[in-house]
Amino acid sequence: MIIHDAHSWELDVAGAQEVQRQLAQKLRLQVPGDFRLTSLCGCDVSGAKNDDRVYAVAVVLSYPELTVKEVATAVCPATFPYVPGLLSFREGPPLLKALRRLRAVPDVFLFDGQGLAHPRGLGIASHLGLLLERPAIGVAKKPLVGVYTSPGPEPGDTVPLVYREHQVGTVLRTKRGVKPVFVSPGHLMDFDTATRITLACCRSYRLPEPIRQAHHLSNRLRRGEKISNIY
DNA sequence: GCGACAG
DNA sequence: ATCTTGTCGC
């Protein structure tokens, strides 16, 4: 898919934070009127201690079958350290490289991290959703900001994630007896739709299938294992 | 100043 | 996140 270059990635911490504040003003937390869910794209990046490269994967799944339709990968040297709040500056470049190799244009993108639930309202799902100009959702295993209580025990039970007096996400129980996940809208997305799509993509596991697949494939890519792109 | 801190 | 062994439960 075609993705326009919007800004430099070669920035220091202060410069990256300024870019986030500027981009956050462009976020649209509403689903397009013609939105139809037919395909989803899971995005994830893996890396290792003695390896300064990052391994990105974008995997497209059909909905509601959730079968893999296409896989795109990219390997890049890591150009930015992991700094809480600046994850997209480390994982964004490799993910965009992989996404540009995608033939399909998925209806929605799921990222392993936050969307709105971020110190400046621009987690990786919001940042990349804006650059892609497509609906995006952040699904994180742990919160970055915000306060919350424990959601009920049943799959689908939720509680709001609140930061500075406002809801920034939803704590969602995807599976009984398992820790909840932290869902937040990225771009062209709202709280309810983000939560419902995430839950609809959960099968027998805690994480939604697009992200599970992306996670699995990025690890295989790093280990040099074969990844078939013919489905 | 101290603690917290997506992946 | 990664590293890394065993352990608990379906």
Side-chain angles (χ1 to χ4, degrees), chain A residues 25-40:
Chain A
Q25 298 178 30
K26 302 185 178 186
L27 278 186
R28 185 145 192 63
L29 299 180
Q30 188 176 79
V31 177
D34 60 355
F35 181 78
R36 290 278 293 165
L37 185 57
T38 293
S39 60
L40 312 91

Side-chain angles (χ1 to χ4, degrees), chain A residues 9 37 57 67 89 91 107 119 126 133 139 146 150 155 182 195 200 214 217:
Chain A
W9 292 96
L37 185 57
V57 167
T67 56
F89 286 84
E91 302 194 346
D107 297 319
S126 298
E133 301 184 272
V139 182
S150 180
F182 300 78
T195 300
L217 291 168

Side-chain angles (χ1 to χ4, degrees), chain A residues 29-220:
Chain A
L29 299 180
Q30 188 176 79
V31 177
D34 60 355
F35 181 78
R36 290 278 293 165
L37 185 57
T38 293
S39 60
L40 312 91
C41 181
C43 301
D44 194 23
V45 173
S46 74
K49 270 188 175 178
N50 303 322
D51 183 352
D52 4 337
R53 287 168 298 186
V54 283
Y55 301 78
V57 167
V59 55
V60 181
L61 281 69
S62 64
Y63 184 86
E65 300 80 11
L66 300 183
T67 56
V68 176
K69 293 300 181 185
E70 186 182 356
V71 179
T73 68
V75 180
C76 307
T79 60
F80 202 93
Y82 167 66
V83 178
L86 298 178
L87 178 65
S88 61
F89 286 84
R90 179 180 179 76
E91 302 194 346
L95 280 176
L96 290 174
K97 186 172 179 180
L99 288 164
R100 285 189 166 97
R101 292 174 171 168
L102 221 49
R103 151 169 83 78
V105 180
D107 297 319
V108 62
F109 294 77
L110 273 62
F111 292 90
D112 191 350
Q114 320 290 341
L116 220 212
H118 176 279
R120 290 165 291 283
L122 198 93
I124 188 168
S126 298
H127 193 160
L128 296 195
L130 267 172
L131 298 183
L132 297 169
E133 301 184 272
R134 301 290 297 172
I137 300 169
V139 182
K141 296 178 288 301
K142 297 185 297 190
L144 175 60
V145 297
V147 295
Y148 57 97
T149 58
S150 180
E154 299 303 320
D157 283 344
T158 65
V159 72
L161 174 62
V162 176
Y163 182 54
R164 296 173 178 167
E165 316 281 270
H166 290 289
Q167 178 172 9
V168 294
T170 305
V171 184
L172 169 69
R173 184 87 62 189
T174 58
K175 189 174 164 53
R176 179 154 197 141
V178 172
K179 289 192 301 180
V181 296
F182 300 78
V183 180
S184 57
H187 181 51
L188 300 176
M189 183 54 51
D190 58 55
F191 296 114
D192 184 57
T193 307
T195 300
R196 292 198 316 202
I197 288 177
T198 299
L199 186 62
C201 288
C202 291
R203 288 297 180 263
S204 307
Y205 302 89
R206 178 193 181 207
L207 296 176
E209 285 305 309
I211 286 180
R212 279 191 69 240
Q213 292 293 339
H215 195 80
H216 177 68
L217 291 168
S218 66
N219 278 322
R220 291 203 57 152

